[in-house]
Amino acid sequence: MKGLYSLLGIVYMVTTSFYLSPRTVIVKNEISTKKIERLADAKSEKTSTNTSSAEELYKSITFDEGHELNEEVFFKALTGFENLKKAGLLNQEAHLLTVCDFSMSSNTKRLWVIDTNERKVLFNSLVAHGKNTGEEFATNFSNTNSSLQSSLGFYITDATYNGDNGYSLRLLGMDKGFNDAAYKRAIVMHGADYVSEEFAAMHKRIGRSWGCPAVPRDLTQPIINTIKGRNCLFIYYPDQNYLSKSEWLKTSV
């Protein structure tokens, strides 16, 4: 009988050891809720700080009147720029950001080279899109060889060479499925006579490349020599498929 009582005592202790009073459950729930709230607040504060920093940088850059880079396009470019740094694909010291806004008319200066340290525009230029991407305005993009279309997304500038189009800059596409075939397609930055205001006045649009972001002849060497050697180039268009899928446009990598 004494052994039976001892056994019942052990069973009671084991079963009651898992019991938490309602007060204990409430306290634990409150601690868990507060922890979640703190993490959410910290994330919100970090996002707010990043946004404020980007806004402050944008407002500090002096754009020529009538030739401003769209603020939202700049924010997207800056997001990818910073994410490429975090991924180790750009040096932490990298401070040159080149943006092509292909939502704009090809007759406008829609390429900007920005020094984010000095907070100034180094170049603002005309830039061509691909022959099959559109007429005056770009509408269609491709990552396919022989498509003669431009490719959207983030690029890292590579080495220079002299080819059929003269002094040129190789580009490495960083967006899988959108521009990562750029090197094989020989999508490069080069100069072209058809990228000029004179050509635009005669034809109602500047000329078009085979998919390369071609720039005016007189700016070819200055622009390429400035951005060559692992700097960031972003070709933008409000394509929702691209904007929703690019890993570089996420808030973090």
Side-chain angles (χ1 to χ4, degrees), residues 38-72:
R38 283 199 301 272
L39 290 172
D41 289 342
K43 185 176 181 180
S44 177
E45 185 178 344
K46 183 178 180 181
T47 301
S48 178
T49 300
N50 289 342
T51 301
S52 299
S53 177
E55 288 177 353
E56 190 275 329
L57 176 58
Y58 177 81
K59 290 175 181 177
S60 70
I61 298 169
T62 303
F63 294 99
D64 289 341
E65 188 174 352
H67 296 278
E68 297 86 359
L69 171 60
N70 179 276
E71 187 173 11
E72 288 303 315

Side-chain angles (χ1 to χ4, degrees), residues 54-144:
E55 288 177 353
E56 190 275 329
L57 176 58
Y58 177 81
K59 290 175 181 177
S60 70
I61 298 169
T62 303
F63 294 99
D64 289 341
E65 188 174 352
H67 296 278
E68 297 86 359
L69 171 60
N70 179 276
E71 187 173 11
E72 288 303 315
V73 176
F74 175 77
F75 290 163
K76 286 179 171 58
L78 190 63
T79 296
F81 181 50
E82 294 299 334
N83 282 337
L84 285 166
K85 284 186 182 182
K86 290 177 185 176
L89 295 170
L90 287 173
N91 293 330
Q92 291 302 310
E93 297 76 24
H95 56 91
L96 297 179
L97 176 58
T98 303
V99 184
C100 298
D101 184 355
F102 276 1
S103 69
M104 299 173 62
S105 163
S106 61
N107 296 335
T108 60
K109 293 181 178 181
R110 55 183 181 168
L111 177 147
W112 290 261
V113 178
I114 299 170
D115 187 323
T116 59
N117 281 355
E118 296 295 326
R119 303 184 176 214
K120 66 180 182 181
V121 177
L122 302 180
F123 299 96
N124 180 210
S125 168
L126 294 169
V127 60
H129 56 246
K131 179 180 179 180
N132 291 337
T133 283
E135 293 288 330
E136 177 185 344
F137 287 90
T139 54
N140 304 302
F141 300 88
S142 174
N143 193 36
T144 305

Side-chain angles (χ1 to χ4, degrees), residues 203-216:
H203 300 277
K204 307 303 180 186
R205 59 163 174 76
I206 65 169
R208 297 161 299 164
S209 66
W210 282 12
C212 300
V215 295

Side-chain angles (χ1 to χ4, degrees), residues 12 22 51 65-66 85 96 119 129 145 150 226 235 242 246:
Y12 175 78
T51 301
E65 188 174 352
K85 284 186 182 182
L96 297 179
R119 303 184 176 214
H129 56 246
N145 195 33
S150 299
T226 298
I235 294 181
Y242 168 72
S246 173

Side-chain angles (χ1 to χ4, degrees), residues 202-231:
M202 187 179 297
H203 300 277
K204 307 303 180 186
R205 59 163 174 76
I206 65 169
R208 297 161 299 164
S209 66
W210 282 12
C212 300
V215 295
R217 286 285 186 196
D218 61 333
L219 290 177
T220 303
Q221 193 162 334
I223 290 177
I224 287 178
N225 284 342
T226 298
I227 69 173
K228 67 182 179 180
R230 304 202 69 77
N231 282 297

Side-chain angles (χ1 to χ4, degrees), residues 1-19:
M1 184 62 72
K2 187 181 291 186
L4 178 61
Y5 286 144
S6 298
L7 180 60
L8 290 173
I10 292 170
V11 171
Y12 175 78
M13 288 175 65
V14 171
T15 55
T16 56
S17 65
F18 296 101
Y19 173 75

